[in-house]
Amino acid sequence: MSYRAGTGSAEQPFAMAQEEPEPVLAVSGEEEEKKEGGEGPELAPAAGGVGLIMPDGNVLFPDTFQTNHILFYERFKAYQDYILADCKASEVKEFTAEYLEKVLEPSGWQAIWRTNVFEVLVEVNYSTLKAVVRLSEPFLCDSHVSTFTLECMQELLELKKHQLPVQELWLWVVFDESGEFDQTALAIEHVRFFYQHIWRSWDEEDEDDFDYFVRCVEPRLRLHYDILEDRVPSGLIADYHNLLSQCEVLYRKFINLRSGLSSSDSDSEAENVSMVEGLKLYDEIEHLKQKLKLIENPLLRYVFGYQKHTGLQAKGSRPMGTKITHVVSSTIMASLLQSLLREKLCPETCDEELEIQFHSDPLTAVSACYEGDTVIICPGHYVVDGMFCIADSIELEGYGLPDDVVIEKRGKGDNFVDCTGANIRLSSLKLVQHDAVEGILSVHHGKTTLENCVLQCETTGVTVRTSAELLMKNSDLYGAKGAGVEIYPGSTCTLLGNGIHHCREGILIKDFLDEHYDSPKITMVNNVIHNNEGYGVVLVKPTVSSDVKDIAAKNSEENVEDLGHAELHECARDELELHERAEISEQSEGNHEIANELVATSVKKSQIHKKRLSELGITEADDNIMSQEMFVSIVGNQFKRNGKGSFGTFLF
């Protein structure tokens, strides 16, 4: 049951009344049932007046405005235009207090004051930048602690002088049909949300040269809604909350230590030790804050691609060295079993007797595997809720065509398939992903071969991490809201005869220009990359600064001046051979452009590397050190109907 409140008067100072969703009154099922039944718990006399304190969840409080379903853009607009504007971090409390002073009704409204210990109905007057609260009559309190009494509540209010500061407005405004308190409820919600999810205790001490909204509020607000909408991996969410907790603990220690130092004028050894400890704490806090900013920034989250894989340890071989063939089938018919025995389990060429295990679920079969095992999945539609974590060298093979052997992931989660084994092979399978946060398949370590598979993606498609290797052959990938294939620096990716289509980007190659990264080895032959929203292939790389460009130009001129005619002819011949390798085929649009850009980026990386070695006094570099150029083979690929063209670059 729900009732909708009015939008409030146009004269109210909060101009977002028409743009914000109307606060909705929500009645819980328990309350509705008791209302229909006509009788609730009777009020019992309590010490100091008539009232009721009951165990958790049993008090019938008045209905409150439901304001927790406000959309991202509505909060964004409220903070940007009405609450914070372009204030500095040191001005945030002043701006929020002024906002409340303008918007809140000064008196005449009730609210439920909620903490971790209790919920209590109070009457509120707002003045002098603070909410003055008094217990309502009849007294209603829902205590989460059995020892909490009316006397405890009165003592707490006296301790606080019946005042709640702006940062502690844990108030939920009681619903009123007149519409008089709609803006009050909305304003309280915005400020409460800000101090609960956006504000950090150390923000006020950060440098004050930047717009606080742009630097802190917007990225943190986006992260909060990305988490709500399941766009952030669970591992990253856990890391973020863990970092926040660590930073809060260290910051409190730092504040206490600093307070102790400031209150003492002595120059004792203990004071010096405390100063050293304070500097260490400060460095630790700054390090944690940088990690938090990296997670909060949506661009960095995407470009640098956070991935926390399971870290599952490989089992290795069985103690007796035996290898088992696992057969997966929900039900197995005699004819299917005969075909399996004839074609897979007992072929004429097989001299050894196989040990076979039967499973009804592919996830269970993979979990039971050791090094060298094989999983044969019979035709059927298998629905799994978990994630495939493959740490041993095993083979997963569908018995039939990919469309006949379907593994569908249901339920919200991260990756579908995580590969860390030395040599993993998947063939003749169709993987279908739903409600995902991460990609459909990630190769973290070792080599993974994907052959004759169909991948129906939800977010990112296949990710090839640094030092990992992927061979994807004769497969079909589509539906990724990110890139169909993501290639990281230092990885090896071979794509042969695949279809990659109806993704946001076809293939995304991560930045490898940094000296700490190795160039990836990329082979693309006879792929059809079509109907993607953006580019067929996109290269992520940093904007090269002017000084780097000048260095490269200067080095080029100096090298030409130092060369004789013979050397020039030799250099020209080598350059021609390089372009011939890159200009592999022009029968398909885009191959030449992609190869040249990748090779040029690799050459630029080599030039920067040479310059840095020269600055260190190393004039004759080892051939292995200097062989940083990317291996590129781009042949016979077709690019059709991609929204932005066959190839592009993303500069950051």
Side-chain angles (χ1 to χ4, degrees):
M1 180 186 297
S2 65
Y3 302 93
R4 189 169 296 276
T7 57
S9 170
E11 287 78 27
Q12 289 174 315
F14 186 37
M16 286 187 62
Q18 295 180 0
E19 297 179 19
E20 294 286 353
E22 298 173 349
V24 177
L25 167 64
V27 182
S28 68
E30 181 182 351
E31 292 172 347
E32 185 175 357
E33 183 180 326
K34 290 183 179 179
K35 283 184 179 182
E36 290 176 356
E39 292 187 4
E42 295 182 2
L43 290 180
V50 177
L52 181 69
I53 295 183
M54 295 191 68
D56 186 10
N58 292 323
V59 175
L60 285 178
F61 285 112
D63 301 313
T64 59
F65 287 99
Q66 183 65 35
T67 56
N68 60 347
H69 297 300
I70 299 174
L71 301 176
F72 165 79
Y73 80 91
E74 292 165 335
R75 289 199 194 274
F76 181 96
K77 188 171 179 60
Y79 294 131
Q80 185 182 48
D81 294 348
Y82 302 101
I83 303 176
L84 301 174
D86 57 353
C87 74
K88 309 302 181 187
S90 59
E91 302 171 328
V92 166
K93 291 179 182 177
E94 179 186 348
F95 272 59
T96 52
E98 288 179 1
Y99 164 74
L100 290 174
E101 192 78 20
K102 293 176 183 177
V103 177
L104 294 192
E105 290 293 326
S107 61
W109 50 283
Q110 290 185 316
I112 298 175
W113 178 20
R114 290 174 178 160
T115 70
N116 293 331
V117 178
F118 61 82
E119 297 181 17
V120 63
L121 184 64
V122 294
E123 295 178 355
V124 187
N125 295 324
Y126 189 83
S127 63
T128 62
L129 307 183
K130 288 190 177 181
V132 180
V133 297
R134 300 192 181 280
L135 298 178
S136 64
E137 294 183 2
F139 170 63
L140 291 179
C141 180
D142 188 355
S143 172
H144 308 312
V145 179
S146 58
T147 56
F148 193 83
T149 63
L150 175 60
E151 287 81 4
C152 295
M153 175 61 67
Q154 290 172 335
E155 186 178 342
L156 175 63
L157 285 173
E158 288 173 9
L159 214 63
K160 287 182 168 287
K161 298 181 180 180
H162 289 263
Q163 294 180 339
L164 296 180
V166 171
Q167 306 96 288
E168 298 178 17
L169 290 182
W170 309 116
L171 302 173
W172 277 256
V173 180
V174 170
F175 178 71
D176 183 89
E177 293 183 351
S178 68
E180 182 180 358
F181 303 117
D182 291 3
Q183 294 301 308
T184 295
L186 204 53
I188 291 285
E189 165 63 25
H190 282 316
V191 173
R192 182 179 62 244
F193 179 92
F194 173 78
Y195 281 107
Q196 184 177 1
H197 300 291
I198 307 297
W199 178 254
R200 310 285 181 247
S201 54
W202 54 83
D203 281 352
E204 203 166 11
E205 298 194 9
D206 279 355
E207 56 189 70
D208 228 8
D209 299 332
F210 298 97
D211 184 334
Y212 179 73
F213 177 84
V214 173
R215 188 186 59 174
C216 296
V217 177
E218 182 179 356
R220 291 172 187 171
L221 186 63
R222 287 187 185 278
L223 175 62
H224 178 82
Y225 275 87
D226 284 347
I227 291 173
L228 286 181
E229 295 167 9
D230 299 308
R231 295 176 184 168
V232 183
S234 58
L236 182 54
I237 297 171
D239 274 2
Y240 183 70
H241 291 310
N242 185 41
L243 289 169
L244 270 179
S245 300
Q246 290 181 49
C247 208
E248 285 285 357
V249 170
L250 291 177
Y251 184 71
R252 282 196 294 270
K253 286 183 180 178
F254 177 75
I255 292 297
N256 293 335
L257 190 63
R258 188 174 64 181
S259 300
L261 287 171
S262 60
S263 62
S264 174
D265 296 329
S266 64
D267 191 19
S268 64
E269 184 178 345
E271 288 289 322
N272 292 332
V273 170
S274 295
M275 288 186 69
V276 172
E277 289 179 0
L279 289 172
K280 286 182 179 178
L281 282 173
Y282 179 81
D283 288 340
E284 289 180 41
I285 292 167
E286 288 300 312
H287 181 64
L288 290 173
K289 283 160 64 176
Q290 290 303 317
K291 286 186 174 180
L292 289 169
K293 287 177 182 177
L294 182 67
I295 299 174
E296 288 167 353
N297 188 303
L299 177 61
L300 295 179
R301 279 207 306 275
Y302 176 73
V303 171
F304 295 106
Y306 178 90
Q307 176 68 34
K308 182 170 182 174
H309 66 84
T310 57
L312 183 69
Q313 295 296 317
K315 297 178 184 177
S317 302
R318 288 184 177 80
M320 300 299 294
T322 56
K323 296 179 181 178
I324 294 178
T325 298
H326 304 263
V327 177
V328 180
S329 181
S330 51
T331 57
I332 190 161
M333 306 298 290
S335 57
L336 177 61
L337 184 58
Q338 289 175 351
S339 299
L340 273 173
L341 289 169
R342 183 174 59 254
E343 297 176 15
K344 295 292 181 182
L345 304 178
C346 298
E348 296 178 358
T349 56
C350 182
D351 298 328
E352 298 181 4
E353 191 167 354
L354 294 178
E355 183 176 342
I356 303 170
Q357 290 184 5
F358 289 87
H359 308 267
S360 59
D361 174 30
L363 205 56
T364 307
V366 170
S367 300
C369 283
Y370 283 75
E371 186 80 13
D373 283 5
T374 300
V375 179
I376 299 175
I377 304 176
C378 296
H381 192 121
Y382 304 90
V383 178
V384 297
D385 291 319
M387 177 170 125
F388 289 92
C389 302
I390 309 175
D392 290 281
S393 297
I394 65 171
E395 181 175 346
L396 274 73
E397 177 185 353
Y399 184 56
L401 297 174
D403 286 336
D404 297 330
V405 186
V406 180
I407 304 176
E408 180 178 355
K409 188 179 190 303
R410 289 279 178 86
K412 295 179 180 179
D414 295 338
N415 279 7
F416 192 170
V417 183
D418 258 0
C419 299
T420 60
N423 194 358
I424 299 169
R425 179 182 174 85
L426 288 78
S427 60
S428 301
L429 299 171
K430 181 175 182 178
L431 305 180
V432 180
Q433 186 184 36
H434 295 293
D435 297 323
V437 177
E438 284 294 325
I440 197 166
L441 185 145
S442 288
V443 187
H444 298 282
H445 306 295
K447 178 181 179 180
T448 296
T449 300
L450 203 62
E451 184 172 1
N452 194 31
C453 290
V454 176
L455 306 179
Q456 181 179 319
C457 308
E458 176 77 13
T459 52
T460 304
V462 177
T463 303
V464 195
R465 297 279 163 179
T466 300
S467 302
E469 181 178 355
L470 170 72
L471 169 58
M472 182 172 166
K473 185 177 180 182
N474 299 331
S475 296
D476 191 43
L477 186 154
Y478 60 92
K481 294 175 184 174
V485 178
E486 283 191 5
I487 304 172
Y488 274 68
S491 64
T492 301
C493 183
T494 304
L495 305 174
L496 308 175
N498 303 289
I500 301 173
H501 55 99
H502 294 93
C503 303
R504 183 176 178 180
E505 312 283 354
I507 298 168
L508 186 142
I509 303 169
K510 298 276 188 175
D511 166 47
F512 59 90
L513 198 57
D514 192 285
E515 63 176 329
H516 300 295
Y517 296 151
D518 291 330
S519 301
K521 297 178 176 62
I522 301 173
T523 301
M524 291 172 53
V525 180
N526 297 333
N527 300 283
V528 181
I529 302 171
H530 64 97
N531 290 102
N532 296 292
E533 182 181 339
Y535 293 104
V537 177
V538 62
L539 172 64
V540 177
K541 63 180 184 179
T543 304
V544 180
S545 59
S546 58
D547 57 335
V548 173
K549 292 179 181 177
D550 294 341
I551 288 168
K554 184 178 178 182
N555 287 344
S556 178
E557 291 174 3
E558 289 175 354
N559 290 338
V560 170
E561 289 174 2
D562 292 340
L563 289 174
H565 290 291
E567 287 84 355
L568 280 172
H569 284 297
E570 183 72 21
C571 182
R573 188 171 69 250
D574 292 343
E575 189 73 15
L576 182 60
E577 290 176 359
L578 175 65
H579 280 287
E580 285 176 353
R581 290 200 303 271
E583 193 179 356
I584 302 156
S585 173
E586 292 191 11
Q587 60 182 329
S588 301
E589 180 189 355
N591 290 273
H592 173 67
E593 182 184 3
I594 296 168
N596 273 1
E597 178 64 31
L598 295 178
V599 170
T601 305
S602 181
V603 170
K604 186 181 297 179
K605 175 184 174 71
S606 180
Q607 289 174 341
I608 295 171
H609 190 54
K610 287 179 182 178
K611 173 64 179 176
R612 286 175 179 156
L613 289 177
S614 177
E615 290 172 351
L616 294 172
I618 304 173
T619 55
E620 293 183 5
D622 185 273
D623 288 341
N624 291 329
I625 297 177
M626 297 309 302
S627 59
Q628 294 287 335
E629 291 186 10
M630 171 191 289
F631 172 77
V632 181
S633 179
I634 314 291
V635 184
N637 302 285
Q638 298 182 47
F639 300 88
K640 302 178 180 178
R641 297 182 295 279
N642 295 296
K644 295 183 179 179
S646 58
F647 178 73
T649 55
F650 175 76
L651 301 177
F652 68 95

